[in-house]
Amino acid sequence: KRLAAEIKKCGRGRIWLDPNESNEISTANSRFNIRKLIKDGLIIRKAVKMHSRSRVRKNLEAKRKGRHTGIGKRRGTKEARLPSKVIWMRRQRVLRRLLRKYRQQKKIDKHLYHFFYRHAKGNMYKNKRVLVEAIHKMKAEQVKAKT
């Protein structure tokens, strides 16, 4: 088995010896004889065992639907799983992007832009919708003040 493993370039566990021809195999004591037995099909290198990922895929599919994510499945703290800083950064980027877009489209002037930019940084608007409403309200007030 050791010789066969060396010849076939694999471990001893992957070598299969024909149980019906065990006495013929036991007489083989050289690489030449082992090669002959391999050619005759009395010694075979077994295929690599399969390591299926089908269960993993199935589980991930379920996780995408929101299964298996209850309190008992969580190892990290809330902060470790999705840091509040990341949430903050996302929100700031969304709000600032909107403000830049509005300034470029001349919907707001640079003074309004600066006002809303500072308020966004000061945590005044919890999301984009609230910011847009605030902008409309402010513009309406400005129009009212002019007339």
Side-chain angles (χ1 to χ4, degrees):
K1 228 174 178 181
R2 181 184 62 78
L3 276 172
E6 275 185 40
I7 290 167
K8 292 297 276 178
K9 295 192 170 68
C10 65
R12 290 178 210 172
R14 271 183 72 193
I15 295 295
W16 176 84
L17 306 174
D18 193 338
N20 304 326
E21 308 289 339
S22 55
N23 50 355
E24 194 180 326
I25 290 171
S26 61
T27 58
N29 59 357
S30 68
R31 285 171 185 269
F32 178 78
N33 291 354
I34 296 280
R35 278 198 195 93
K36 191 162 103 6
L37 292 173
I38 288 169
K39 201 174 80 182
D40 296 343
L42 304 183
I43 297 177
I44 297 172
R45 175 168 68 175
K46 290 192 277 193
V48 178
K49 289 212 172 70
M50 196 172 81
H51 189 123
S52 171
R53 279 190 57 83
S54 64
R55 281 186 299 280
V56 176
R57 268 186 240 109
K58 200 175 115 211
N59 204 8
L60 280 174
E61 198 63 42
K63 271 206 175 136
R64 281 192 206 104
K65 290 179 178 174
R67 318 287 190 265
H68 319 294
T69 51
I71 293 165
K73 289 285 183 184
R74 299 179 196 171
R75 293 296 298 272
T77 59
K78 187 179 177 184
E79 187 69 15
R81 288 162 68 87
L82 183 58
S84 55
K85 183 175 181 178
V86 169
I87 294 169
W88 169 260
M89 280 169 11
R90 277 184 199 161
R91 193 169 86 199
Q92 287 303 302
R93 283 170 186 169
V94 166
L95 297 180
R96 287 172 181 178
R97 202 177 303 130
L98 180 90
L99 285 172
R100 275 198 302 274
K101 194 176 86 176
Y102 272 22
R103 185 179 60 181
Q104 206 173 9
Q105 292 172 350
K106 303 282 191 284
K107 287 188 181 177
I108 55 175
D109 62 347
K110 65 176 187 181
H111 302 293
L112 265 185
Y113 169 84
H114 190 70
F115 174 84
F116 284 115
Y117 187 97
R118 280 319 204 173
H119 277 64
K121 186 181 178 172
N123 200 15
M124 283 281 285
Y125 315 112
K126 71 172 186 175
N127 56 37
K128 194 165 141 181
R129 193 195 72 233
V130 174
L131 175 62
V132 170
E133 284 172 9
I135 291 171
H136 288 316
K137 197 172 172 187
M138 180 74 98
K139 283 174 75 175
E141 281 176 21
Q142 281 189 343
V143 168
K144 202 180 279 184
K146 279 183 182 175
T147 57

